[in-house]
Amino acid sequence: MFAEVSFPISSYQTFSYKVPERLAKKITVGIRVKVPLGRRKVNGIVVGINNTSSFKGKIREIHDLIDDQQVLNDNLWSLIKWLSKYYNSPLGLAAKAVLPSNLSTKYKPKVETLVKALNVESFNDSLGKAQKTIYKHLQSLDDSVSVKTLSNMCSNPKDICNKLAEKGLVSLLDRPILPNLSEFAFKSENKKITLTQAQKVALEKMVSCMDKNKFSPILLHGVTGSGKTEIYIEAARHAININKTVIILLPEISLTPQIAGRFRSAFGDDVALWHSKLSQGARAWTWKQICGGKFKVVIGARSAIFAPLKNVGLIVVDEEQESSYKQESPSPRYHARDVALMRGKLDSASVVLASATPSMESYYNHLNGKYDYIHLKERFGGAKYPKVHVVDMIKEAEETELYGNIFSRLLLEKIQDRLSKKEQIILFHNRRGFAPVLRCEDCGEISMCPHCNIALTYHRIGKYLQCHFCNHTEKEIPSKCPSCQSFNISLSGTGTQKVEDELLNIYPNSRIKRLDADSVRSGINLTKILQEFHENKIDILLGTQMIAKGLDFANATLVGIINGDTGLFLPDFRSSEKVFQLIYQASGRSGRGKIPGEVIVQTYSPDNPVIKSATKLNVEEYYNICLEERKALLYPPYSWIVKLEIRGKKINEVEESINKIKNKMVRPPKGISILGPALCYREKLRDYYRIQLILKSKKELDVNGSKLHKYYKSILSKNIIKEIPSKQRLIIDINPVSLL
């Protein structure tokens, strides 16, 4: 018997291996194996089994299995094949996305040795001094303790305890050290929630879909604070009651602690967390337990969609509009929302796409009857929507004759009012660091990243310049301009660190915390800050988009948006949609309890239609405007898009390669248009120049996108890839979320 094995590399080739008799009954399609490749032993996945092999050379044997139990079922294997085909990724890379190579069901956690004194009436006085000390200490304890905790009493506690055990004075027990996953969740709170009539209707719809045991896509469009999480919990409860499992996807790590705490209070230890802040040991242990069927609910970021749960009945994609659901690198460049829909189809599950600001694609699919639609129009518990104030910062500067102020007079007044009432404030500013630009005021020279065409951001804490794309860091801050030698250099713009400094100056007695990628290095620290805010131990929470959505704090009655224009004028077809969603979602953090809330939006573009609609909290108005624009320009959701991008270190060679591809695109089929080639907006990143071609296919003429897929694959099959130099990379991005 022979097995075809694929490896997690950028190659579509498979390799034949002989199956040894000892593994013949265990080898199945989709199982991971360790095999010899050259002089190394590497991990691969079995993609086919045959009685004979067409390979005429020497065929080597499979060495061993990576897992000691089956991980993939037929549906997960089908999902891997779909990932590979749809996102144009080698099967081995698609399999690696689903089955990370550093995880195995053979994982065994580290162990610690526990010691306990036995009830011995007398013991030999010939015991050494250290033995007597340890034994008497253990006798004074009621329970077992870790041997490691005795290290302050002697230099070699393990040897001492072993000798005491030999003499029958103590018992030793090895216990596995299991990760404390409760560190990543809020303290459990047993809330008795009575669902509103609207929530009951939404839940009944979801339950009805689950009971039909068939694929059901649902768009849950609920205003911020409408109680969507409570519906998820009750829907999950029903899924578990009918012997189904549940996947809850969240876009941001910051949302995990609060929702995890809510689910743990409802389902206890049946809930697993899966996100990037878990340690390797915690990930390995959690994954093994999921494979073994211990957990009924998995909550996590985009990769949680691949959790090897059996009998999935409900998948919830919370804040489904978020671009963080898109895997940008490495291949496959999948979108977790689309993968969730496909997994739901394969598992005959209900897939709930939930948001207060749905993506244009989901909203369009609802309008066209492709999704069931549930609309929650009111906040839970009678909470009112916040009152929104718009501050024109240009007019503010003219009236005060103070230019470049971070805070308007109105925002400062409202902050002071909330502090005096012991209410909490959330300030949103979507730019981290202290200042995004270090500029020479004489010649205009800007400190740039040597690897990217991006300005370096100054970070006051640590005093360094950093590129936020490649993380290049410069510890030496120039005292004069390297171009004109002028000493007239200054910091421009505002980041969260600068906002924090200003707050501390104005409100020195207030408890202020900053929550961004710089201040939160671990999931435990993130949970700690959010828990403190939840317990009213923080007055002002300042942060980036990490705090703009999903979080629920009853005492937060004021939200201040420092600059509502950030990202508004980027040359990308989704830029205005993202700005609208961020302002709307951030505003929704205010007034979620019994106390009415307010929102201050500071902007330099108060008459911009995006800002106007967002500050009126009017989703339908903005979505109608946006859909008309997208239709006129033939952008999603009215078209399918494929981005072909060449990356290389020499721009002239990159231009040559992209032109070779463009020259093959003669007379595209009706409904398919080609944009470019053109330099990407961020033309150089990590030492690579980037030029892209955009293919768009009109949905009216290409219902499922198959015509576009067939066309671009036919172009790339004409030996084009072989003509691209090995030092360059061709990136194929299906349905990109950004063209920047």
Side-chain angles (χ1 to χ4, degrees):
M1 187 165 70
F2 300 89
E4 292 297 310
V5 177
S6 177
F7 300 103
I9 55 177
S10 299
S11 170
Y12 291 85
Q13 185 178 0
T14 61
F15 297 81
S16 295
Y17 287 88
K18 187 177 180 181
V19 179
E21 285 188 19
R22 62 187 172 85
L23 299 178
K25 293 183 179 179
K26 297 180 180 178
I27 293 289
T28 59
V29 170
I31 201 163
R32 294 186 297 174
V33 291
K34 188 176 287 293
V35 298
L37 186 66
R39 296 182 179 180
R40 301 174 298 149
K41 284 188 173 65
V42 297
N43 296 344
I45 185 165
V46 176
V47 298
I49 297 175
N50 303 299
N51 291 324
T52 60
S53 174
S54 58
F55 183 67
K56 301 302 180 185
K58 182 181 177 181
I59 299 180
R60 304 168 79 177
E61 273 195 352
I62 291 174
H63 177 71
D64 200 1
L65 302 181
I66 293 174
D67 299 301
D68 55 9
Q69 65 187 69
Q70 186 180 11
V71 176
L72 290 178
N73 56 23
D74 290 344
N75 291 344
L76 263 182
W77 177 240
S78 297
L79 187 66
I80 288 174
K81 291 192 290 183
W82 175 82
L83 269 176
S84 173
K85 182 178 179 182
Y86 188 77
Y87 291 104
N88 203 69
S89 176
L91 196 58
L93 285 179
K96 186 180 179 182
V98 179
L99 303 169
S101 56
N102 59 350
L103 300 178
S104 167
T105 59
K106 291 183 179 180
Y107 168 79
K108 292 182 179 178
K110 294 178 181 178
V111 297
E112 63 176 346
T113 303
L114 302 179
V115 58
K116 183 178 183 180
L118 298 175
N119 293 322
V120 178
E121 294 183 1
S122 63
F123 60 89
N124 194 339
D125 286 336
S126 65
L127 289 179
K129 183 179 179 181
Q131 292 178 11
K132 282 183 179 180
T133 302
I134 294 291
Y135 184 59
K136 286 183 177 179
H137 172 70
L138 293 174
Q139 280 186 313
S140 68
L141 303 176
D142 294 329
D143 207 350
S144 304
V145 295
S146 172
V147 170
K148 285 184 179 180
T149 63
L150 306 175
S151 58
N152 62 335
M153 304 179 70
C154 65
S155 59
N156 54 347
K158 189 171 183 181
D159 290 343
I160 297 293
C161 290
N162 284 336
K163 289 176 183 176
L164 291 172
E166 289 172 5
K167 296 175 181 179
L169 298 176
V170 301
S171 63
L172 296 175
L173 174 67
D174 285 339
R175 180 179 69 180
I177 303 173
L178 301 180
N180 180 13
L181 298 181
S182 63
E183 293 175 331
F184 300 97
F186 272 22
K187 296 171 186 173
S188 295
E189 296 180 7
N190 292 316
K191 292 182 178 179
K192 185 169 180 60
I193 301 293
T194 302
L195 298 183
T196 65
Q197 186 58 35
Q199 286 176 312
K200 288 178 182 177
V201 170
L203 178 61
E204 287 169 6
K205 178 73 173 176
M206 292 162 65
V207 165
S208 172
C209 289
M210 276 188 277
D211 288 343
K212 291 175 183 174
N213 202 32
K214 69 175 186 177
F215 171 53
S216 304
I218 302 167
L219 177 59
L220 176 58
H221 180 190
V223 300
T224 56
S226 57
K228 294 186 287 293
T229 302
E230 297 304 330
I231 299 174
Y232 306 159
I233 289 172
E234 294 307 317
R237 197 187 307 279
H238 179 78
I240 293 170
N241 288 340
I242 59 174
N243 200 30
K244 302 272 189 179
T245 56
V246 180
I247 297 174
I248 309 289
L249 296 186
L250 305 172
E252 296 281 352
I253 184 69
S254 60
L255 301 182
T256 307
Q258 199 167 50
I259 289 186
R262 300 278 289 280
F263 268 83
R264 278 184 174 275
S265 68
F267 304 110
D269 292 335
D270 282 343
V271 179
L273 304 185
W274 189 256
H275 53 71
S276 60
K277 297 295 183 181
L278 292 174
S279 66
Q280 177 56 31
R283 286 174 67 84
W285 181 84
T286 302
W287 196 78
K288 180 176 181 176
Q289 299 302 310
I290 293 172
C291 292
K294 173 176 171 52
F295 295 114
K296 302 298 183 185
V297 180
V298 172
I299 300 174
R302 62 173 177 258
S303 61
I305 190 57
F306 302 123
L309 289 169
K310 309 295 189 296
N311 203 24
V312 176
L314 174 67
I315 301 173
V316 176
V317 186
D318 193 34
E319 306 294 353
E320 61 87 27
Q321 81 284 355
E322 282 301 311
S323 58
S324 55
Y325 281 126
K326 175 73 171 178
Q327 165 90 349
E328 297 291 354
S329 185
S331 181
R333 292 172 174 80
Y334 66 89
H335 198 299
R337 180 187 62 224
D338 298 334
V339 177
L341 290 165
M342 178 51 68
R343 183 162 189 186
K345 189 173 184 179
L346 292 168
D347 282 334
S348 299
S350 294
V351 181
V352 179
L353 309 180
S355 178
T357 54
S359 64
M360 285 299 158
E361 286 83 349
S362 296
Y363 193 74
Y364 174 85
N365 284 334
H366 139 60
L367 293 177
N368 284 274
K370 290 187 176 181
Y371 296 164
D372 286 329
Y373 183 67
I374 302 171
H375 194 185
L376 301 175
K377 300 179 180 180
E378 296 180 356
R379 284 186 151 189
F380 179 78
K384 302 298 181 185
Y385 239 52
K387 183 178 180 181
V388 182
H389 307 273
V390 181
V391 178
D392 182 344
M393 293 302 283
I394 295 177
K395 189 179 290 185
E396 176 84 6
E398 290 172 349
E399 291 176 356
T400 61
E401 297 185 355
L402 296 172
Y403 294 88
N405 269 7
I406 294 175
F407 304 110
S408 62
R409 291 165 295 175
L410 179 62
L411 181 54
L412 290 175
E413 176 190 318
K414 294 294 183 182
I415 291 174
Q416 186 60 60
D417 175 63
R418 292 319 194 273
L419 291 174
S420 66
K421 294 176 179 177
K422 306 296 183 185
E423 296 170 14
Q424 292 170 290
I425 300 110
I426 294 176
L427 296 180
F428 169 70
H429 186 58
N430 205 23
R431 181 164 281 169
R432 63 188 178 97
F434 186 86
V437 176
L438 180 65
R439 183 199 311 270
C440 173
E441 296 297 338
D442 290 335
C443 73
E445 179 80 8
I446 293 174
S447 292
M448 303 290 287
C449 173
H451 309 292
C452 308
N453 191 24
I454 302 292
L456 293 171
T457 297
Y458 174 67
H459 290 249
R460 182 188 58 77
I461 299 171
K463 294 185 178 179
Y464 60 91
L465 293 168
Q466 186 180 59
C467 173
H468 287 172
F469 284 86
C470 72
N471 289 326
H472 167 78
T473 302
E474 295 181 4
K475 292 290 186 183
E476 294 293 326
I477 311 299
S479 58
K480 61 181 179 180
C481 175
S483 293
C484 70
Q485 305 304 307
S486 168
F487 288 93
N488 189 19
I489 57 176
S490 64
L491 295 168
S492 302
T494 301
T496 48
Q497 291 180 4
K498 189 174 182 179
V499 177
E500 182 183 29
D501 277 6
E502 286 290 311
L503 286 170
L504 289 169
N505 287 332
I506 301 170
Y507 308 106
N509 298 320
S510 297
R511 299 166 297 177
I512 301 167
K513 283 284 187 179
R514 175 168 50 87
L515 195 60
D516 56 24
D518 299 313
S519 63
V520 178
R521 298 294 183 185
S522 71
I524 296 172
N525 191 29
L526 167 69
T527 306
K528 182 174 178 286
I529 292 174
L530 292 176
Q531 184 78 48
E532 286 177 354
F533 193 72
H534 177 66
E535 294 170 354
N536 292 326
K537 294 177 181 177
I538 297 171
D539 300 314
I540 302 175
L541 182 64
L542 162 68
T544 55
Q545 63 179 5
M546 293 176 74
I547 64 168
K549 46 197 169 287
L551 299 176
D552 186 1
F553 300 106
N555 196 41
T557 60
L558 176 66
V559 165
I561 298 174
I562 305 298
N563 187 351
D565 307 333
T566 303
L568 184 60
F569 301 107
L570 288 173
D572 183 65
F573 71 96
R574 292 191 199 273
S575 59
S576 64
E577 178 187 357
K578 289 179 180 178
V579 170
F580 174 87
Q581 290 166 342
L582 269 177
I583 293 176
Y584 186 100
Q585 292 278 359
S587 300
R589 301 314 104 207
S590 177
R592 297 170 74 94
K594 296 180 180 179
I595 307 171
E598 288 185 278
V599 180
I600 310 295
V601 180
Q602 299 182 162
T603 174
Y604 292 88
S605 313
D607 295 325
N608 186 289
V610 179
I611 301 296
K612 278 187 170 182
S613 298
T615 52
K616 285 194 291 185
L617 305 178
N618 192 329
V619 172
E620 286 77 9
E621 177 183 277
Y622 171 70
Y623 279 38
N624 289 336
I625 294 171
C626 189
L627 286 174
E628 285 300 316
E629 290 177 351
R630 299 277 183 90
K631 187 174 184 179
L633 297 171
L634 196 61
Y635 276 112
Y638 295 95
S639 66
W640 305 104
I641 287 186
V642 171
K643 181 171 76 169
L644 304 179
E645 180 186 315
I646 297 286
R647 299 179 183 178
K649 295 196 173 183
K650 294 183 179 179
I651 191 166
N652 58 323
E653 293 178 358
V654 174
E655 288 174 345
E656 185 179 339
S657 295
I658 200 79
N659 284 326
K660 283 181 181 177
I661 297 177
K662 176 63 185 290
N663 292 338
K664 297 288 183 181
M665 296 179 176
V666 230
R667 296 179 184 173
K670 186 179 179 182
I672 293 180
S673 55
I674 302 166
L675 301 179
L679 281 166
C680 297
Y681 172 69
R682 301 183 179 104
E683 63 185 52
K684 184 185 178 185
L685 290 177
R686 301 175 183 88
D687 291 321
Y688 283 87
Y689 290 95
R690 308 161 62 232
I691 301 180
Q692 63 186 7
L693 268 170
I694 307 299
L695 308 182
K696 295 195 294 185
S697 180
K698 197 172 184 179
K699 277 190 179 178
E700 286 181 0
L701 303 174
D702 188 10
V703 178
N704 57 10
S706 58
K707 184 191 290 188
L708 178 61
H709 281 250
K710 184 178 179 180
Y711 176 65
Y712 90 80
K713 288 179 180 179
S714 71
I715 296 297
L716 297 181
S717 69
K718 296 176 182 178
N719 293 321
I720 281 292
I721 295 180
K722 293 180 181 178
E723 294 179 25
I724 297 173
S726 58
K727 292 182 180 179
Q728 296 178 18
R729 293 178 63 199
L730 169 62
I731 308 297
I732 303 168
D733 195 353
I734 311 300
N735 303 330
V737 296
S738 170
L739 300 181
L740 297 177

